[in-house]
Amino acid sequence: MKILLFAMNGSYSHTCLAVYCLRNALEREGFTPKILEANLRDRRDAVLQSLYDERADIYSFSCYIWNIEEMLALSCDLKALLPSAKIIFGGPEASFGIDRFERVAYIDHIVCGEGESVLPKLCTAIESRETPERVIKGEKSYAMGDEGVLYRDGDYEAGKMLYYESSRGCPYNCAYCLSSAESGVRTKSVEQTLSDLLEFEKLSSDIKIIKFVDRTFNCDRKRASAIWRALADEKYTKNYHFEICASLLDEESFSVLSKLPKGKIQLEVGLQSTNPDTLEEVSRHIDSAQVISAVKRLHEMGNMHIHLDLIAGLPYESYERFKHSFNEAYFCCHMLQLGFLKLLHGTRLRKDAQKYGMVYSCRPPYNVLSTADISRDELFRLSLIADLLDRYYSSERFSRCLAFAVPKAKSPFDFYDKLLDYI
């Protein structure tokens, strides 16, 4: 029986860790699945032809907010061409949008949640000509262990970003995030993690960056420090990206990070807002001043690339109040990402959207269009400012010009606001 695991990535440089996790799980049960990855810039008819050429018995689609529309279109056409093939949808968008997909006739099965334990069972049932349930709940009992790095030579091309998972779950319950839908964190040991990272060194093609997909890498501070300390060794030659909670950094963390070779790691910090009422309402229990102080300290070390996130459209944050968040965050990082609230299926903010006067797109990625606190016109203007920020500031192509010009404006936000008018 032929099984194809299909992923559609946001860009050429990305890969999809989920399909490699599933390949590993299926191979352990005696299957020999094949992986096919495409990206959103590929021609749809060419991607469809690649899927059709495989003539697989089972097609498993890994679905996210950025690719779900393409996945639906491709699977519809594929089912018309190969009516006997089984179409399986999984991933976050399928897991939390069950009502939508249950009405889609060409989807044979929907796997909700973690698929490593249940997909092999489903494939076994299909191979045995049994009649499995259409909606199958994933088993959270999946334990992180010796699965390794999951990539092999031939899986990717040189220069791509590869992903690694050393923990699963998040200790926090932010109202806009899918990680809040489940509780608990499972981690690999320090020893296993470092052993896995050495496996990346054995891959023959050049790797641009290894990005940890852990939602909060340093939720266990001692574990995080032990891994960072080990990465100072020259045998770890890659660039490593971590998403961290800056509030959890202690003196040991700062000391370890300060000693790392320049350019070896990148840190991403989710600030989201500096409005205490907003942070309280979305259950993000951080002290924004403490976060900014920690991020500035990291930035001043000069040996790491620091990425800071803001989200526009959160409850109780008006256009004027968002300016404060922007200005407070601006001078303490290399890359400031101005993102926009997305009301994802399964999150508390989506359920409570009416409470906050939120109008949002009915199509993925479900961007908020306006709220009781910020108008459509204001959010659109922020989206234009976000484009300028990416092009001039986060690209780091104009660092000397901005270092000269921005301090001459009334505030960083005022500079970009006026630049937008000028352009």
Side-chain angles (χ1 to χ4, degrees):
M1 185 173 70
K2 190 169 186 179
I3 302 170
L4 186 76
L5 305 172
F6 177 59
M8 177 159 279
N9 302 311
S11 72
Y12 171 79
S13 64
H14 297 162
T15 62
C16 178
L17 184 60
V19 291
Y20 295 95
C21 291
L22 294 173
R23 179 178 68 179
N24 180 67
L26 286 164
E27 287 180 343
R28 289 188 176 200
E29 298 301 319
F31 294 102
T32 54
K34 182 176 180 179
I35 289 174
L36 176 64
E37 291 189 85
N39 73 78
L40 292 175
R41 294 188 178 184
D42 292 332
R43 285 175 48 186
R44 183 187 291 174
D45 61 337
V47 176
L48 175 63
Q49 187 63 39
S50 297
L51 290 165
Y52 179 68
D53 286 344
E54 295 299 330
R55 304 296 203 279
D57 302 291
I58 297 174
Y59 289 88
S60 177
F61 287 71
S62 190
C63 304
Y64 298 84
I65 53 173
W66 64 81
N67 69 20
I68 187 61
E69 298 296 324
E70 287 295 308
M71 293 301 212
L72 286 166
L74 288 165
S75 58
C76 179
D77 291 345
L78 187 63
K79 190 69 169 181
L81 290 167
L82 301 171
S84 62
K86 297 297 183 183
I87 304 291
I88 301 172
F89 268 33
E93 187 63 10
S95 297
F96 295 97
I98 302 172
D99 293 344
R100 176 186 180 188
F101 302 116
E102 278 188 308
R103 299 191 295 269
V104 180
Y106 51 83
I107 300 175
D108 295 289
H109 301 285
I110 303 165
V111 174
C112 304
E114 297 180 16
E116 288 96 335
S117 298
V118 299
L119 186 60
K121 295 176 183 176
L122 175 57
C123 291
T124 298
I126 292 171
E127 187 175 39
S128 302
R129 300 186 181 279
E130 298 174 16
T131 307
E133 294 290 329
R134 186 150 186 251
V135 177
I136 300 165
K137 300 289 185 182
E139 297 177 7
K140 196 181 173 184
S141 59
Y142 169 73
M144 306 192 67
D146 61 353
E147 59 271 17
V149 303
L150 301 174
Y151 296 96
R152 304 166 189 163
D153 283 331
D155 283 341
Y156 65 96
E157 296 179 36
K160 290 227 177 185
M161 179 189 298
L162 301 189
Y163 297 85
Y164 177 71
E165 183 180 41
S166 78
S167 68
R168 188 173 291 191
C170 184
Y172 301 108
N173 294 289
C174 302
Y176 51 80
C177 181
L178 282 178
S179 295
S180 65
E182 296 182 357
S183 60
V185 180
R186 288 159 285 168
T187 62
K188 290 184 179 181
S189 68
V190 172
E191 295 74 22
Q192 183 64 57
T193 300
L194 294 173
S195 175
D196 288 347
L197 293 181
L198 282 178
E199 291 299 311
F200 281 107
E201 304 292 335
K202 299 176 183 178
L203 297 175
S204 59
S205 295
D206 180 53
I207 300 168
K208 179 180 179 182
I209 187 169
I210 296 171
K211 184 171 183 177
F212 279 63
V213 298
D214 306 31
R215 302 306 302 159
T216 308
F217 175 74
N218 65 328
C219 61
D220 181 336
R221 285 184 285 202
K222 288 187 176 181
R223 175 179 175 273
S225 290
I227 292 170
W228 286 331
R229 187 180 293 108
L231 290 180
D233 193 302
E234 61 183 13
K235 66 185 176 184
Y236 296 100
T237 67
K238 311 304 178 187
N239 184 274
Y240 306 90
H241 181 108
F242 302 91
E243 186 172 341
I244 66 166
C245 176
S247 300
L248 295 177
L249 294 172
D250 56 11
E251 286 305 314
E252 181 185 5
S253 302
F254 284 115
S255 175
V256 170
L257 289 169
S258 69
K259 295 181 175 71
L260 283 163
K262 186 173 183 177
K264 178 160 276 192
I265 74 168
Q266 302 177 5
L267 297 180
E268 180 175 353
V269 177
L271 176 61
Q272 320 313 10
S273 173
T274 63
N275 183 353
D277 293 334
T278 295
L279 294 171
E280 179 67 25
E281 191 63 20
V282 299
S283 302
R284 188 165 180 79
H285 305 299
I286 62 168
D287 180 337
S288 62
Q290 181 187 7
V291 170
I292 289 172
S293 175
V295 173
K296 281 182 178 177
R297 187 172 173 183
L298 294 171
H299 187 232
E300 288 167 359
M301 289 178 186
N303 62 331
M304 294 167 286
H305 187 275
I306 308 300
H307 177 149
L308 194 63
D309 295 327
L310 292 173
I311 298 178
L314 291 169
Y316 307 153
E317 187 143 68
S318 65
Y319 188 81
E320 288 301 315
R321 185 58 188 77
F322 186 81
K323 289 182 184 180
H324 290 285
S325 295
F326 186 100
N327 289 331
E328 290 174 277
Y330 184 80
F331 286 111
C332 61
C333 58
H334 298 97
M335 179 176 182
L336 179 61
Q337 180 169 308
L338 201 174
F340 293 83
L341 180 62
K342 297 168 177 54
L343 291 188
L344 307 178
H345 289 284
T347 60
R348 178 167 66 79
L349 279 191
R350 186 181 178 101
K351 295 173 186 174
D352 294 342
Q354 190 173 0
K355 173 183 174 182
Y356 306 111
M358 290 178 174
V359 177
Y360 60 95
S361 175
C362 62
R363 298 173 67 86
Y366 315 115
N367 280 334
V368 164
L369 306 175
S370 68
T371 76
D373 300 289
I374 192 166
S375 70
R376 168 61 188 163
D377 292 335
E378 290 169 333
L379 274 176
F380 180 68
R381 185 169 183 83
L382 285 180
S383 74
L384 299 179
I385 290 173
D387 290 342
L388 290 182
L389 191 68
D390 288 343
R391 182 169 297 182
Y392 290 100
Y393 179 72
S394 296
S395 71
E396 298 190 284
R397 294 174 181 170
F398 300 91
S399 55
R400 285 176 290 183
C401 295
L402 293 174
F404 171 80
V406 173
K408 297 184 181 301
K410 185 168 64 175
S411 71
F413 187 92
D414 190 63
F415 171 83
Y416 288 95
D417 196 46
K418 295 296 197 304
L419 179 61
L420 177 61
D421 287 339
Y422 175 78
I423 288 176

